[in-house]
Amino acid sequence: MFTEAIEAILVDHCTPAAIRAIENGGSAAALWGALAESGFLELMASEEAGGAGLDLDAVFPIFVAMGRHAVPVPAAQRIAARALLGDVAPPQGLLTLAGHAQRAADGSIGAAHVAFGAIADHVLANLDGQLVLLDAARAQRTTTGIRGSLGASLRWTADAVGAPVGDNGAQVAVFSAALHAAALAGAMERLFAMTLGYCNDRVQFGKAIGKFQSIQHQLSVMAEHVACAGVAAELAFKAGEKIPPLLATATAKARTSASVPLVASTAHALHGAIGVTEEFDLQLYSRRLHEWRMADGSETYWNRIVGEALLGSATPSVLQFTMEEIL
Amino acid sequence: MSQLLEAFRLAQLPDAAEAFRAEVRDFLATNLAPAAPAVRARTWMGFDAAFSRRLAQRGWVGITLPAAYGGAGLDAFRRFVLVEEMLAAGAPVAAHWIADRQSGPLINKFGTEVQKDFYLPRICRGEAFFCIGMSEPNAGSDLASVRTRAARVDGGWRLTGRKIWTTNAQRSHYMIALVRTSGAPEDRHGGLSQLIVDLSLPGIQVRPIVDLTGDAHFSEVTFDDVFLQDDALIGDEGSGWMQVNAELAFERSGPERLYSSVVLLDTWLQSLRKSGFTPADAVLLGGFTTQLATLRSLSIAVTTKLARGESPVVEAALVKDIGTEFEQAIPAAIEAAVAADPARGVEVDADLHRTIAYLSQISPTFSLRGGTREILRGMIARGLGLR
Ligand SMILES: Cc1cc2nc3c(=O)[nH]c(=O)nc-3n(C[C@H](O)[C@H](O)[C@H](O)COP(=O)(O)OP(=O)(O)OC[C@H]3O[C@@H](n4cnc5c(N)ncnc54)[C@H](O)[C@@H]3O)c2cc1C
């Protein structure tokens, strides 16, 4: 129900042209306004606070839709912030998450590679385990210079940091990873659909290229990796929970990220030259795949967390650990 | 999104199946003799008739067959749990495996009342072991080109030809063979039938084939004018192709396509805990864990379809293809990790090394048995509407 409604809004307001405009420095106000007015940003707020009080499993399809539509504003982050902030009302404007902010020797605060750091108004950050709200307007922003990326590294002077709004800072890193896992799953769905459609349409040697066995096999393997990403992402969004659990999220982020190289490269290989053009929409999703694989830690980071947890446990078998701690 | 991918939504095992897990673990704790990891790594290649009979006494051979024939009448979820626990423990399940997984269900689906009354109780008691007679020297992936032929004669059939790679033919009582009963190989799918062959009959020769690890799990079977009774035919004459595909759906859809290397994974885990590990080891181990969690979820999604009475043939092919890739990646990566530093680990963990070696050598079979990669990918492509 929610999913269809948000799908409709995104189809109307998050068009490829709108995405390109925002990526090129245009205003995000119209898209953000449409999402805010619809109430979707409050899905995880409690009913007393005027929200829908939804658990993770109910919002999972919406986080996936954010990826499927390459939404160029921190809507997923803002939905998550509601769950992270509890009773604290979030400020107006574009709010994003920073899972690993750090205090430097001079007292300044830095947050590297913040998703939407270039356009956010506020950052909800994890600072040494504390939850802090930072005003992005007061930050010195360094963009990566990657074409189309809305990410940036931010640095605040010591006086820009107010009192913590919670002690659940560590959850920011986990939730941010979980929402990127869902976004990856959604973007891969889109890339797969585009690639399958293209292989049915594009004719070479007198027939659709999808009729060639080697193309069929590449699509079959791509489907396997997209299927893995889909179920893995869903693991983080547990029924009855508001915050994704650590090891399920680690699995989700690791496995979705691990699908990226094959899914992105197959999508491009099968599209041929047209696929790498600015004009063709494939790049809107494939660029994000690479960015989101690295966001909040790649599979290398999250697999290590799972591996060390397993090694440090007394569970005799990998399967048993999986069943007890992840699934 | 394609319809095929929509089938893969996260699904849980029902509580009843999880409760059943405790019973299975209890059984294994008392009935599974301790064995070295390289022995346990053989799992569904490991043949132990006594173990299979103990399992049968517990009521768990013919797990999905109706109680009227001595089966356990359990659903697909409980079969998933039973199989998962046995494979993870490395139980030697080969003796009853094929009858339980596919021959029994095949007879139950296509057999006459007389055939069911005869074979199914024997299967459930662990007295009738079966093998699968599909492949031939010149019919591998191209299964429809089988040449073994059964000719109608007075009161039965005369069977002539040759099957190969038949797992456990040398230790089985019966083979269900796909043979030509009319027409010629050019007729492809037409004219094929399935026959139940009593392997003790005169004219049958079974020659075990030794593999590169020294095991002999499969055989070549020759039929020299073997006389079979009328009722050797299972299902309808000429319906062999349809039946064999239904049988392959049973064969491919279980969780057994994920677990062939988990004994090694656990052995390596113990070794790392004992002897220490590098960050790279932790990344690798964690990677296998997150992959296992994901693939198991895919497999449960397939099981959910089975439990609903559907026949998720393409979904099963998808899980098998990526599942065997996982099974093959484990020994390949652990081989590299264990030898990452020749100066490390003066004490040789012989158990670990034997298990790595066994799985590295045998792992190519994981993506051959039950249909090769290329065949499975062709099935997935068909499911995607490309063929
Ligand atoms: C351990 C083990 C146990 C087995 N147990 C049994 C058993 O119990 N009963 C039984 O009947 N069989 C059994 N088999 C046989 C198995 O089913 C076959 O090995 C398999 O079907 C492949 O046939 P093949 O070995 O003749 O290879 P081939 O079919 O000759 O294939 C060789 C290569 O060519 C590729 N290839 C073939 N056709 C195509 C195509 N159209 N397009 C692209 N590539 C293609 C294959 O994918 C493969 O890579 C077993 C095999 C093994 C390894």
Side-chain angles (χ1 to χ4, degrees):
Chain A
M1 170 185 78
F2 290 113
T3 323
E4 276 106 65
I6 195 140
E7 196 73 32
I9 294 177
L10 294 175
V11 166
D12 282 351
H13 296 273
C14 190
T15 59
I19 298 169
R20 284 187 176 83
I22 294 172
E23 285 186 343
N24 288 320
S27 166
L31 175 57
W32 187 257
L35 289 166
E37 270 163 42
S38 69
F40 278 109
L41 303 180
E42 309 301 328
L43 284 177
M44 295 196 79
S46 65
E47 287 176 28
E48 302 84 78
L54 293 187
D55 290 339
L56 288 172
D57 59 325
V59 284
F60 172 67
I62 291 169
F63 284 114
V64 175
M66 297 296 170
R68 195 164 50 237
H69 291 274
V71 176
V73 289
Q77 283 81 355
R78 177 59 177 67
I79 295 173
R82 259 310 197 168
L84 290 161
L85 280 165
D87 296 335
V88 179
Q92 291 293 311
L94 275 65
L95 183 148
T96 192
L97 303 177
H100 299 270
Q102 279 173 13
R103 202 183 295 271
D106 64 359
S108 70
I109 308 295
H113 300 292
V114 177
F116 300 105
I119 60 168
D121 300 306
H122 305 277
V123 179
L124 183 62
N126 167 32
L127 182 62
D128 301 327
Q130 299 294 312
L131 191 65
V132 294
L133 257 174
L134 295 155
D135 181 355
R138 295 184 62 182
Q140 183 196 330
R141 305 191 206 227
T142 315
T143 55
T144 53
I146 297 171
R147 192 181 162 284
S149 170
L150 300 170
S153 294
L154 280 66
R155 183 163 292 283
W156 291 266
T157 52
D159 63 331
V161 186
V165 292
D167 56 9
N168 55 330
Q171 292 178 345
V172 178
V174 179
F175 211 143
S176 188
L179 64 85
H180 279 125
L184 279 168
M188 286 185 205
E189 270 177 28
R190 173 61 65 99
L191 278 175
F192 184 75
M194 289 180 77
T195 308
L196 182 59
Y198 188 78
C199 290
N200 280 321
D201 292 344
R202 171 73 174 165
V203 173
Q204 287 292 283
F205 298 100
K207 57 182 177 180
I209 56 170
K211 295 288 169 209
F212 293 107
Q213 189 190 44
S214 78
I215 303 266
Q216 293 176 350
H217 288 192
Q218 289 185 64
L219 281 167
S220 298
V221 175
M222 186 180 177
E224 292 169 9
H225 285 262
V226 175
C228 282
V231 291
E234 203 168 350
L235 284 173
F237 292 80
K238 293 262 186 285
E241 305 273 348
K242 301 274 186 211
I243 305 290
L246 176 68
L247 292 176
T249 301
T251 302
K253 185 61 173 61
R255 189 59 193 79
T256 49
S257 300
S259 283
V260 167
L262 185 133
V263 171
S265 64
T266 306
H268 275 290
L270 299 189
H271 272 88
I274 190 101
V276 298
T277 62
E278 198 286 331
E279 190 185 345
F280 198 80
D281 290 342
L282 196 73
Q283 51 97 1
L284 297 178
Y285 310 94
S286 68
R287 276 193 287 115
R288 282 175 167 74
L289 246 49
H290 294 290
E291 183 163 349
W292 292 340
R293 180 189 187 197
M294 295 174 73
D296 304 303
S298 67
E299 64 270 31
T300 307
Y301 174 80
W302 289 105
N303 280 334
R304 181 170 173 188
I305 287 184
V306 173
E308 286 177 352
L310 167 57
L311 284 158
S313 77
T315 319
S317 87
V318 179
L319 175 63
Q320 200 174 322
F321 179 85
T322 302
M323 290 191 290
E324 288 168 5
E325 305 295 334
I326 296 175
L327 298 173
Chain B
M1 201 182 13
S2 83
Q3 235 176 334
L4 173 60
L5 289 178
E6 269 164 41
F8 292 107
R9 297 307 308 272
L10 198 58
Q12 310 294 334
L13 293 173
D15 290 346
E18 285 301 345
F20 178 62
R21 187 182 301 281
E23 291 179 48
V24 177
R25 287 192 178 161
D26 271 355
F27 173 84
L28 290 173
T30 45
N31 288 280
L32 185 60
V39 173
R40 286 186 287 118
R42 275 144 169 99
T43 57
W44 44 296
M45 302 269 217
F47 191 101
D48 180 345
F51 175 79
S52 290
R53 298 226 166 87
R54 282 201 295 280
L55 193 69
Q57 277 157 19
R58 183 68 181 78
W60 291 340
V61 174
I63 19 182
T64 58
L65 294 176
Y69 301 110
L74 296 182
D75 61 16
F77 292 116
R78 268 174 275 211
R79 175 170 197 276
F80 182 98
V81 168
L82 180 66
V83 167
E84 171 173 82
E85 288 293 327
M86 289 201 296
L87 297 184
V93 294
H96 69 277
W97 193 242
I98 286 167
D100 179 272
R101 182 179 70 188
Q102 61 198 85
S103 314
L106 175 90
I107 293 169
N108 187 44
K109 189 162 176 184
F110 297 110
T112 61
E113 241 359 275
V114 177
Q115 286 171 325
K116 291 198 235 181
D117 281 338
F118 182 82
Y119 293 107
L120 298 185
R122 286 174 171 75
I123 287 175
C124 297
R125 289 197 299 264
E127 292 168 4
F129 300 147
F130 277 70
C131 59
I132 309 160
M134 294 187 194
S135 306
E136 295 183 4
N138 290 312
S141 298
D142 184 11
L143 185 57
S145 67
V146 293
R147 286 164 189 274
T148 298
R149 179 178 284 275
R152 270 262 183 228
V153 293
D154 210 20
W157 307 85
R158 289 258 164 213
L159 180 67
T160 300
R162 195 144 58 113
K163 292 290 174 185
I164 198 167
W165 317 125
T166 319
T167 298
N168 285 325
Q170 69 275 33
R171 295 179 281 216
S172 294
H173 306 97
Y174 302 98
M175 170 194 285
I176 296 186
L178 179 70
V179 304
R180 185 155 285 290
T181 44
S182 66
E186 301 75 65
D187 296 329
R188 308 286 303 163
H189 303 168
L192 299 178
S193 304
Q194 284 189 305
L195 298 176
I196 307 182
V197 182
D198 178 343
L199 292 172
S200 66
L201 290 173
I204 300 180
Q205 200 193 346
V206 180
R207 185 179 66 84
I209 303 168
V210 178
D211 78 9
L212 73 177
T213 72
D215 291 354
H217 41 80
F218 46 27
S219 286
E220 180 179 38
V221 184
T222 41
F223 306 107
D224 183 9
D225 201 24
V226 179
F227 178 74
L228 303 174
Q229 304 278 348
D230 256 335
D231 68 355
L233 179 73
I234 171 102
D236 294 328
E237 187 179 343
S239 294
W241 185 254
M242 178 275 291
Q243 290 174 206
V244 99
N245 279 293
E247 181 181 350
L248 283 167
F250 292 126
E251 176 167 350
R252 291 180 183 139
S253 52
E256 53 264 43
R257 305 303 182 163
L258 307 180
Y259 291 122
S260 301
S261 298
V262 290
V263 169
L264 171 59
L265 204 48
D266 289 339
T267 307
W268 187 50
L269 167 66
Q270 313 305 344
S271 159
L272 292 174
R273 278 185 184 147
K274 205 171 88 203
S275 316
F277 56 90
T278 65
D281 291 332
V283 172
L284 189 59
L285 178 66
F288 287 133
T289 309
T290 57
Q291 178 75 331
L292 177 63
T294 303
L295 294 176
R296 181 174 184 268
S297 297
L298 289 185
S299 192
I300 291 174
V302 174
T303 304
T304 305
K305 290 192 144 249
L306 277 178
R308 274 199 235 114
E310 297 170 41
S311 184
V313 183
V314 180
E315 290 85 346
L318 186 148
V319 178
K320 177 180 182 281
D321 191 40
I322 192 155
T324 53
E325 193 178 306
F326 169 71
E327 296 179 327
Q328 291 175 336
I330 292 172
I334 294 180
E335 195 169 77
V338 165
D341 176 2
R344 188 164 62 125
V346 199
E347 280 158 48
V348 172
D349 185 339
D351 270 337
L352 176 63
H353 280 259
R354 262 197 301 277
T355 312
I356 293 171
Y358 169 71
L359 283 169
S360 299
Q361 292 165 17
I362 203 69
S363 63
T365 63
F366 300 166
S367 59
L368 296 174
R369 57 187 186 190
T372 68
R373 264 193 204 313
E374 285 68 33
I375 296 306
L376 297 176
R377 289 176 184 176
M379 292 172 64
I380 300 166
R382 185 170 292 122
L384 290 170
L386 289 160
R387 304 176 52 188

